Amino acid sequence: MDANDSPPARLGRFVEAFGSVTEAAASAREPHWMLAIRKAGLARFADQGLPTLRHEDWRFTNLAPIEALPFRPLPRPEPRAVTVADLDRLPLAGMSGLRLVFVDGHFEPELSRIEALGEQIQVCSLSQTLRTDGAWLEQQLASWHEGQDRAFRALNDAYCTDGMVLRVPAGVAVAEPIHAVFLSSGSEAGLASHPRNVLVAEANSQVTVVEQYASLGGAATFTNTLTQLVAGEGAQVEHVRFQDEGPEAFHMGALRAVAAGSAQLAAHSFALGARLSRQNIGLTLAGPGLEAILNGLYVTTEKRLADHHMVVDHAQPHCASHEYFNGILSGQSRGVFHGRILVRPGAQKTDAKQTNKNLLLSSSASVNTKPQLEIYADDVKCTHGATIGQLNPESVFYLRARGLPIETARRMLIHAFAGEIIDRVRCGPIRQALDRLVWDRLERDAQVRLDASRPHD
Amino acid sequence: MSTPQSTIDQFVQSDYKYGFVSDIETEALPPGLDEEVIRTISAKKGEPEFLLQWRLRSYRHWLTMTEPSWPKATYPPIDYQKIIYYAAPKPKARLESLDEVDPELRRTFDKLGISLDEQKRLTGVAVDAVMDSVSVATTFRKELAKHGIVFCSFSDAVREHPDLVEKYLGTVVPYTDNFFAALNSAVFSDGSFCYVPKGVLCPMELSTYFRINTANTGQFERTLLVADEGSYVSYLEGCTAPMRDENQLHAAVVELIALGSAEIKYSTVQNWYPGDKDGKGGIYNFVTKRGLCRGRGSKISWTQVETGSAITWKYPGCVLLGDDSVGEFYSVALTNHRQQADTGTKMIHVGKNTRSTIVSKGISAGRGQNSYRGLVQMRPTATGARNFSQCDSLLIGDQCGAHTFPYIEVKNPTAQIEHEASTSKIGEDQIFYCNQRGLSKQDAVNLIVNGFCKEVFRELPMEFAVEAQKLLGVSLEGSVG
Amino acid sequence: MRRAGEALAITMEDRLKMEPILDIRNLEAGVDDRAILKGINLTILPGEVHAIMGPNGSGKSTLASLLAGREGYQVTQGSVTYLGQDLLALNPEERARAGVFLAFQYPVEIPGVNSTYFLKAALNEVRKHRGLPEVDAIEFLSLVKDRIRLLELNEDLLKRAVNVGFSGGEKKRNEIFQMAVLEPTLAVLDETDSGLDIDALRVVANGVNRLRRPDRSALVITHYQRLLNHIVPDRVHVLMNGRIVRSGGKELALELEERGYDWIMPTEPVAA
């Protein structure tokens, strides 16, 4: 439980690669303030290095395999043989509306679908915004404080290449969800991409954004993505992060969100892929009377690990936040959850609920969970709960007694368990696609059929 | 608003009723700690070589350790060289019977409501009284001996039952366990020892009463309790200290061992001096308590009511090694004024079908900070194990804090864990309802708090439960306007 | 008791012609070395409704659970034959598909599993077993609407998760509704009447009666006689301390209602 950082270890390759970034920045004629952010990021990273198991926030997630990887950032795009057909094979491909596609961290206009959404709404790539709207972007990037993701945030500052920039002006409602696909070509081990997304929904606007992370090849790639999200006063924002990278991939994701008064924010995290994934979710409720839902589902198999680390900061009174995270674990996989609700002095009438439920489907899967409350105001309603267990045998029996085969019974119950989370996605097409996907994945998972604990008759 | 006179009101004037200092001739070492001090303590107690060596190993290990920084508590650094590690009421001679106890000492314990006079005690409670670091009297020893039960001071146990001490000391809490356990292992001066033989159901409650008297002393007692197969024992501990402006360190270690089918019930009412309203003075209560359910079907139950101390740092836990063994933890922790408590439990499930229950009630008032920190661990071997945890916090006023930090680690899919936590305040409507029925605001608060804690009080032996309820009332004085 | 004897004689005759739907022979079973059923004999012929009555703890629910295949019970002796096959050799879903339906005493809530979806899956399993094609959505819907009216249930129920948020009465009616959709050969009603008010009781009984056919049977387990005013049984058996201590016609139930269970000496077992 030692909170001290360990001394930086084997950081050489993370620092050495920076030369290529400086060159690329010069040739792209990046504004000087951006280079300053990059340099500062590199310095901060060099100072602390990757967190180790001795760090309280990383006790169960060993980053040594990332350190052991080669580190190959791609400051400049390289030609990739990615086609629209490749994209069409991905889940969510059927969604209509805007689509921004990034390959190995670089925007691919050819693969993207950008129609004008009306003059006021800005949807474009970060690299483009650097050229067209630098001052605004600088202000956005500078306005962020570090959270629990500081090592990766520093690395992202140094190496970020591109990402989605969205700005919805006050009072505007965007009808269709905006879809960003971050594809990893998966062509070589250690290939690193650092997407940086800046999403701003101004007062009383409405928008749904989905970030999808997927791999084409099977190499041990490294994605370190960071999304900063601002929901203005009264804005209604739904954010979906759907992480479905290849079985050898490493995925570090951060969502840093600030919501203003009376906003409604729903942020969903679906972690279905990657060998090791971590989502750092930080939400600050910065105005009174807002409602936030943080919702997550992790499904792990084999030797994978999915980690969710969440901090909700109730800084203002009369806010409600509900956090629901469910995990389904089979094989020798591991699930890690850390949730902290912080209610600051004066944040009276806070209504915060947090649950983490885990389903263990095999004898070697394991779970570490820490649902925490830290409360400094008295007139609040805060609860949290965590459960870990197997499928309820009573429910399995009930379904079997109605004639369903045991596999179907188990799959139905597991699917229902996943459905608790999926059903909270408000955007219909995304919800339906995820529901289908999870059902199909369950069908493929042998452990769903197999009851690890005891032989059945 | 006129209010009926209640038991609570008796305490209004004297915030802390045990804050007096007794004038007893004391023998003490100068402040400071080195190997020489440890050798002196050991020599004074005439200890066998194995114990001295164990102390020295502990000390050397302690030197390599750093004070933990993770508890949610803030306090100025402790200067371990300014603490007196040994202070004892000066004995006239070795006591042959309780009648020979120094009358001033007797008066001290009488004042605390702990009579050392066996005839005067109405209920069958055997007491081991520990003043500063030394056991001064143990009642009912002869009566207990008839059943083969050993109940004596730790020093006596070292003299009379060195084999038992050597066999069990440090087996549950090794000196490497943590910073304060290492320190205790090096310098502990006394404490209680109890051994209940096979199949014996202890006929009376055993209790230890701890008292810090001398200024600037640390209290480092050590309790070792062994329940052999099929035996049962219920053990109580209570603690008080004078009001002083300096902080005093209390770093105790309690080890419990339950063999096959044995049951140990360990209850604590902790009322060390909490410091004044502004947080001046008070005891730093940094305690390591752990029970080992070694045998099949054994059971260890911890019940604690923590109302005192400036800072409380303790996690009475159970290692559930034997199949079908049971661990329980019932806790009420109250922080008022500027008190800080970081307390909870550890339930380590190793054996099959082991079960644990955790009920924690935290009450924060004034500027108190109250944290529940608990670990539930299901090892791969813990097939069919179950845990249920419930952590409730009650906040009184908007200057205090209530925090919950559970750690749940599961490596066996047949294990089932349920954890629930909630936070609430005393509702205006609840107080109004009580007011309307003629109760004062303070009485209403006490009533509601006692209701909130009922599940825990139920686990205490009767007379302790009454004391605990009164204590909560006193500790809550001035918490509402 | 004479009438009971006569009834038995008729049954003996029929036995020559008909294969029983359920034939329990000398069944002994228990949990963890504790004997609960101590030699049950019971034969149910096509078209018959049998009632099992008995005080709490007599083994009624154990019998129901055992017929449906709930885990945790050990059969130490005897046999259960269902339509000529060894019922105990089948797992719960095979029994269900073969037409054994248990209306649960405490239907479990299954959050997240939609009632319609669940029931359609169950019906198709049963149909598959009977060699019938799967029903399509429209056929299913019309069937369901027809049956849900029978039980006077709100159609909204179908949109909810299985048993979640149902009142006690709704849960019981939902069990009979499922039975009406699945059309089992042997329905086992485990204290379906407990916790029902008189109107719900009538509705449930009506549902059960509408499903009575010469080729189907039912075993109604109940503590009280009042359900049997509505579902009139052919035979009534009294189960006490793991044995059927008395069997008779429907009037036996009335006698029990009047005189309580105490007047039956549990020492004189009677073959069903």
Side-chain angles (χ1 to χ4, degrees):
Chain A
M1 300 196 186
D2 193 342
N4 295 332
D5 283 326
S6 68
R10 304 203 293 140
L11 300 175
R13 64 171 66 96
F14 293 105
V15 176
E16 284 154 20
F18 194 66
S20 60
V21 174
T22 338
E23 281 169 34
S27 73
R29 275 184 246 152
E30 247 179 43
H32 67 275
W33 58 263
M34 187 66 208
L35 191 62
I37 287 181
R38 292 184 185 283
K39 282 183 175 162
L42 187 77
R44 289 201 319 280
F45 181 78
D47 218 32
Q48 58 189 303
L50 291 178
T52 68
L53 293 177
R54 294 186 55 210
H55 194 292
E56 176 63 28
D57 283 343
W58 294 87
R59 254 184 356 129
F60 302 105
T61 301
N62 187 357
L63 299 175
I66 295 182
E67 256 177 49
L69 276 184
F71 180 67
R72 300 204 172 108
L74 267 186
R76 275 189 256 209
E78 285 173 14
R80 299 285 179 203
V82 179
T83 63
V84 172
D86 290 326
L87 287 164
D88 285 345
R89 279 193 292 272
L90 297 175
L92 302 188
M95 273 173 55
S96 58
L98 246 68
R99 183 171 74 186
L100 285 82
V101 178
F102 300 83
V103 177
D104 292 336
H106 293 281
F107 183 53
E108 293 282 348
E110 251 85 288
L111 299 173
S112 302
R113 204 163 49 219
I114 305 188
E115 305 113 35
L117 279 178
E119 265 175 51
Q120 305 153 303
I121 304 167
Q122 272 185 35
V123 189
C124 58
S125 70
L126 184 94
S127 52
Q128 196 188 344
T129 316
L130 269 175
R131 291 192 293 273
T132 57
D133 207 355
W136 179 80
L137 189 62
E138 182 184 7
Q139 195 193 341
Q140 293 301 321
L141 292 178
S143 66
W144 290 83
H145 302 290
E146 285 182 300
Q148 74 277 30
D149 47 355
R150 48 200 184 132
F152 291 99
R153 157 82 195 268
L155 205 57
N156 187 289
D157 273 359
Y159 286 101
C160 73
T161 43
D162 216 335
M164 167 174 42
V165 173
L166 167 70
R167 187 177 178 185
V168 186
V172 173
V174 184
E176 282 192 297
I178 294 168
H179 185 188
V181 182
F182 298 89
L183 262 184
S184 169
S185 65
S187 53
E188 57 177 316
L191 195 67
S193 63
H194 297 80
R196 180 64 159 265
N197 304 309
V198 178
L199 314 176
V200 177
E202 292 177 359
N204 302 312
S205 63
Q206 288 178 34
V207 67
T208 297
V209 178
V210 52
E211 292 176 26
Q212 178 176 13
Y213 295 83
S215 311
L216 291 179
T221 53
F222 172 47
T223 302
N224 174 26
T225 182
L226 171 59
T227 297
Q228 36 186 84
L229 167 64
V230 178
E233 200 138 320
Q236 293 180 29
V237 180
E238 181 162 37
H239 179 267
V240 180
R241 177 169 284 167
F242 169 35
Q243 184 277 108
D244 196 24
E245 293 196 8
E248 294 302 320
F250 295 91
H251 182 98
M252 293 291 129
L255 172 68
R256 305 272 296 136
V258 173
S262 306
Q264 287 181 33
L265 173 69
H268 315 277
S269 165
F270 293 89
L272 304 185
R275 172 174 158 197
L276 185 157
S277 74
R278 160 97 161 197
Q279 295 295 339
N280 283 320
I281 301 165
L283 167 61
T284 304
L285 307 180
L290 67 86
E291 285 172 33
I293 289 177
L294 295 182
N295 188 39
L297 176 68
Y298 43 100
V299 182
T300 59
T301 57
E302 292 161 21
K303 289 189 171 175
R304 306 208 181 120
L305 181 148
D307 180 348
H308 278 86
H309 193 282
M310 182 207 78
V311 178
V312 177
D313 185 347
H314 278 262
Q316 294 287 328
H318 293 281
C319 291
S321 82
H322 291 181
E323 293 80 29
Y324 309 91
F325 287 81
N326 283 13
I328 300 170
L329 304 109
S330 63
Q332 290 161 271
S333 67
R334 288 201 291 140
V336 179
F337 176 78
H338 169 110
R340 189 157 70 106
I341 297 178
L342 170 65
V343 179
R344 291 191 187 265
Q348 299 292 17
K349 304 284 179 196
T350 289
D351 179 356
K353 240 188 245 165
Q354 176 180 220
T355 63
N356 174 229
K357 299 204 252 178
N358 294 279
L359 209 46
L360 291 183
L361 299 178
S362 87
S363 57
S364 350
S366 64
V367 168
N368 294 293
T369 175
K370 296 191 293 176
Q372 309 187 337
L373 300 173
E374 198 174 338
I375 297 163
Y376 297 93
D378 65 333
D379 193 4
V380 299
K381 221 168 71 190
C382 295
T383 63
H384 71 191
T387 61
I388 301 172
Q390 295 172 295
L391 291 173
N392 178 1
E394 266 301 297
S395 304
V396 176
F397 176 67
Y398 188 86
L399 296 176
R400 291 176 77 189
R402 293 292 176 264
L404 300 178
I406 186 162
E407 299 82 20
T408 311
R410 287 174 60 81
R411 191 145 60 105
M412 257 188 193
L413 294 170
I414 298 166
H415 183 243
F417 182 78
E420 290 177 11
I421 301 300
I422 297 170
D423 286 348
R424 288 196 191 90
V425 177
R426 289 170 199 157
C427 172
I430 299 173
R431 185 178 62 241
Q432 285 141 22
L434 286 171
D435 190 60
R436 232 177 358 256
L437 184 77
V438 168
W439 180 255
D440 291 346
R441 293 278 166 91
L442 290 175
E443 191 161 39
R444 264 193 272 154
D445 186 347
Q447 229 114 32
V448 169
R449 278 172 263 141
L450 190 145
D451 192 346
S453 63
R454 52 164 190 256
H456 36 80
D457 44 8
Chain B
M1 198 182 301
S2 75
T3 56
Q5 194 70 18
S6 71
T7 38
I8 302 309
D9 292 335
Q10 301 164 15
F11 300 98
V12 175
Q13 309 311 323
S14 60
D15 290 14
Y16 185 72
K17 108 180 189 191
Y18 308 102
F20 59 89
V21 180
S22 306
D23 184 17
I24 292 167
E25 213 183 332
T26 313
E27 178 193 17
L29 290 180
L33 183 58
D34 55 25
E35 292 205 0
E36 216 29 61
V37 169
I38 290 166
R39 285 177 197 280
T40 311
I41 294 172
S42 190
K44 272 186 180 297
K45 308 184 80 61
E47 284 175 357
E49 184 63 17
F50 85 85
L51 200 50
L52 172 64
Q53 290 310 320
W54 193 73
R55 285 176 181 278
L56 290 171
R57 280 200 301 277
S58 306
Y59 175 67
R60 288 166 198 150
H61 188 79
W62 177 71
L63 290 175
T64 68
M65 301 174 93
T66 47
E67 218 174 307
S69 58
W70 48 262
K72 199 168 167 50
T74 47
Y75 55 93
I78 298 171
D79 184 345
Y80 290 92
Q81 294 305 332
K82 282 200 175 146
I83 294 171
I84 297 170
Y85 288 87
Y86 184 82
K90 216 173 222 171
K92 303 256 166 8
R94 198 152 141 53
L95 300 178
E96 286 310 314
S97 88
L98 288 169
D99 301 335
E100 295 172 30
V101 174
D102 181 340
E104 183 60 29
L105 258 176
R106 273 176 169 281
R107 273 193 290 279
T108 302
F109 280 93
D110 283 345
K111 233 166 145 180
L112 294 170
I114 311 294
S115 175
L116 300 181
D117 192 332
E118 292 183 5
Q119 274 72 48
K120 275 194 194 158
R121 293 197 63 84
L122 297 171
T123 48
V125 179
V127 177
D128 183 25
V130 178
M131 168 80 92
D132 287 337
S133 302
V134 171
S135 171
V136 291
T138 309
T139 63
F140 292 105
R141 279 183 71 166
K142 285 192 192 119
E143 167 74 18
L144 290 166
K146 278 189 225 154
H147 299 271
I149 297 167
V150 180
F151 178 49
C152 59
S153 71
F154 207 93
S155 310
D156 285 354
V158 169
R159 272 192 301 275
E160 292 161 26
H161 307 280
D163 48 328
L164 284 175
V165 172
E166 189 170 7
K167 184 172 175 188
Y168 292 110
L169 179 70
T171 57
V172 186
V173 181
Y175 62 78
T176 51
D177 192 80
N178 67 70
F179 184 83
F180 297 110
L183 179 61
N184 173 287
S185 303
V187 304
F188 75 93
S189 32
D190 214 334
S192 299
F193 176 84
C194 176
Y195 173 81
V196 188
K198 269 185 197 172
V200 172
L201 308 181
C202 185
M204 61 179 83
E205 307 274 354
L206 304 185
S207 81
T208 302
Y209 204 88
F210 295 102
R211 172 79 181 164
I212 298 179
N213 194 45
T214 311
N216 297 322
T217 52
Q219 181 142 338
F220 304 96
E221 81 278 354
R222 191 148 187 127
T223 300
L224 177 58
L225 208 161
V226 181
D228 213 326
E229 287 171 22
S231 66
Y232 168 82
V233 60
S234 169
Y235 194 95
L236 323 167
E237 115 195 310
C239 1
T240 57
M243 292 200 275
R244 293 185 191 282
D245 287 349
E246 310 81 40
N247 296 110
Q248 276 178 289
L249 178 64
H250 172 249
V253 171
V254 176
E255 296 181 279
L256 310 183
I257 296 153
L259 302 182
S261 303
E263 180 177 348
I264 301 174
K265 206 167 158 51
Y266 196 103
S267 313
T268 303
V269 174
Q270 184 266 105
N271 189 24
W272 296 119
Y273 177 54
D276 70 7
K277 284 189 173 59
D278 303 314
K280 196 163 191 194
I283 304 292
Y284 291 165
N285 189 34
F286 300 156
V287 172
T288 307
K289 291 182 169 179
R290 197 169 305 148
L292 174 63
C293 284
R294 220 169 76 173
R296 188 190 182 97
S298 53
K299 178 176 176 183
I300 290 179
S301 178
W302 296 100
T303 305
Q304 61 173 28
V305 176
E306 304 280 323
T307 58
S309 299
I311 301 175
T312 296
W313 178 99
K314 61 181 275 202
Y315 313 92
C318 298
V319 178
L320 302 171
L321 196 63
D323 291 349
D324 303 310
S325 59
V326 176
E328 293 175 341
F329 174 75
Y330 299 94
S331 170
V332 166
L334 181 145
T335 54
N336 195 0
H337 305 310
R338 292 190 183 259
Q339 281 176 276
Q340 307 174 68
D342 191 308
T343 183
T345 182
K346 289 181 181 182
M347 292 291 175
I348 313 291
H349 291 253
V350 184
K352 291 190 183 70
N353 298 317
T354 46
R355 278 166 294 145
S356 63
T357 305
I358 299 171
V359 176
S360 165
K361 305 279 181 179
I363 302 148
S364 312
R367 292 172 179 271
Q369 296 295 329
N370 205 327
S371 302
Y372 167 82
R373 190 183 302 274
L375 169 70
V376 176
Q377 196 178 61
M378 297 289 183
R379 299 275 174 88
T381 47
T383 302
R386 299 270 180 282
N387 162 267
F388 174 74
S389 307
Q390 184 190 333
C391 304
D392 297 323
S393 304
L394 190 68
L395 294 115
I396 304 171
D398 57 4
Q399 304 282 304
C400 54
H403 321 298
T404 318
F405 303 109
Y407 300 70
I408 305 169
E409 303 173 15
V410 178
K411 288 189 160 42
N412 187 308
T414 62
Q416 279 201 9
I417 295 224
E418 267 180 79
H419 173 97
E420 290 173 13
S422 74
T423 300
S424 53
K425 69 169 212 160
I426 295 183
E428 299 293 338
D429 48 346
Q430 292 170 314
I431 291 184
F432 176 71
Y433 186 88
C434 295
N435 287 159
Q436 211 286 317
R437 295 289 179 272
L439 295 174
S440 72
K441 206 165 180 182
Q442 188 72 54
D443 284 350
V445 168
N446 292 343
L447 196 73
I448 293 164
V449 167
N450 277 316
F452 176 73
C453 301
K454 206 157 79 193
E455 283 162 276
V456 174
F457 288 160
R458 210 165 48 199
E459 298 298 322
L460 285 170
M462 182 63 111
E463 59 191 301
F464 256 43
V466 175
E467 191 180 333
Q469 285 197 16
K470 282 186 190 165
L471 208 54
L472 277 191
V474 174
S475 305
L476 282 169
E477 276 307 316
S479 60
V480 288
Chain C
M1 295 319 293
R2 183 176 293 271
R3 274 199 59 173
E6 284 162 12
L8 200 68
I10 293 160
T11 315
M12 287 299 285
E13 219 168 85
D14 288 345
R15 257 183 207 163
L16 298 171
K17 291 181 260 166
M18 288 190 222
E19 183 190 37
I21 283 186
L22 186 71
D23 195 13
I24 302 176
R25 293 287 168 95
N26 193 29
L27 182 67
E28 294 181 15
V31 176
D32 297 336
D33 302 332
R34 190 167 57 88
I36 298 174
L37 301 180
K38 301 165 185 168
I40 301 279
N41 289 292
L42 181 66
T43 304
I44 302 181
L45 295 176
E48 288 182 343
V49 171
H50 287 226
I52 290 195
M53 300 184 68
N56 290 328
S58 57
K60 301 192 299 285
S61 285
T62 297
L63 181 61
S65 293
L66 212 71
L67 292 176
R70 190 191 289 273
E71 281 177 44
Y73 296 94
Q74 291 95 41
V75 174
T76 48
Q77 184 89 278
S79 65
V80 179
T81 309
Y82 169 75
L83 296 176
Q85 58 184 332
D86 177 6
L87 186 70
L88 299 178
L90 304 180
N91 66 32
E93 57 268 37
E94 288 166 340
R95 298 180 198 201
R97 291 174 209 158
V100 177
F101 180 94
L102 172 65
F104 284 72
Q105 184 181 1
Y106 303 108
V108 64
E109 298 191 3
I110 310 182
V113 173
N114 173 275
S115 289
T116 309
Y117 175 76
F118 156 70
L119 194 54
K120 186 165 168 239
L123 178 63
N124 280 330
E125 289 293 343
V126 170
R127 288 178 65 93
K128 207 155 59 182
H129 182 81
R130 291 177 190 160
L132 299 169
E134 294 198 355
V135 289
D136 64 29
I138 295 164
E139 286 172 320
F140 180 71
L141 219 62
S142 70
L143 172 72
V144 156
K145 284 195 171 166
D146 177 60
R147 300 297 146 90
I148 207 160
R149 267 196 300 275
L150 189 66
L151 273 301
E152 300 178 21
L153 278 166
N154 192 330
E155 275 185 40
D156 279 355
L157 223 73
L158 293 165
K159 293 181 192 143
R160 290 193 243 158
V162 179
N163 294 323
V164 176
F166 289 28
S167 70
E170 278 176 335
K171 278 184 185 165
K172 295 296 178 75
R173 273 192 276 169
N174 186 40
E175 291 293 290
I176 305 304
F177 159 64
Q178 290 182 16
M179 179 179 130
V181 171
L182 299 175
E183 300 184 317
T185 306
L186 175 67
V188 180
L189 275 56
D190 188 5
E191 305 215 11
T192 299
D193 53 334
S194 66
L196 290 185
D197 63 32
I198 190 68
D199 291 329
L201 191 73
R202 184 187 46 76
V203 171
V204 163
N206 186 33
V208 173
N209 288 331
R210 293 276 294 273
L211 295 168
R212 282 179 89 152
R213 273 178 25 188
D215 57 344
R216 293 183 195 153
S217 303
L219 181 62
V220 180
I221 293 171
T222 180
H223 187 81
Y224 303 104
Q225 184 270 338
R226 59 174 196 161
L227 178 66
L228 305 181
N229 288 337
H230 302 275
I231 304 173
V232 181
D234 298 294
R235 302 281 297 156
V236 174
H237 312 277
V238 180
L239 187 65
M240 285 178 90
N241 193 24
R243 291 189 178 90
I244 290 178
V245 294
R246 185 153 306 200
S247 298
K250 58 178 190 271
E251 68 288 345
L252 177 57
L254 289 166
E255 209 166 345
L256 280 170
E257 178 80 354
E258 244 169 67
R259 305 172 66 176
Y261 286 108
D262 291 341
W263 66 276
I264 300 177
M265 290 290 107
T267 43
E268 26 172 327
V270 175

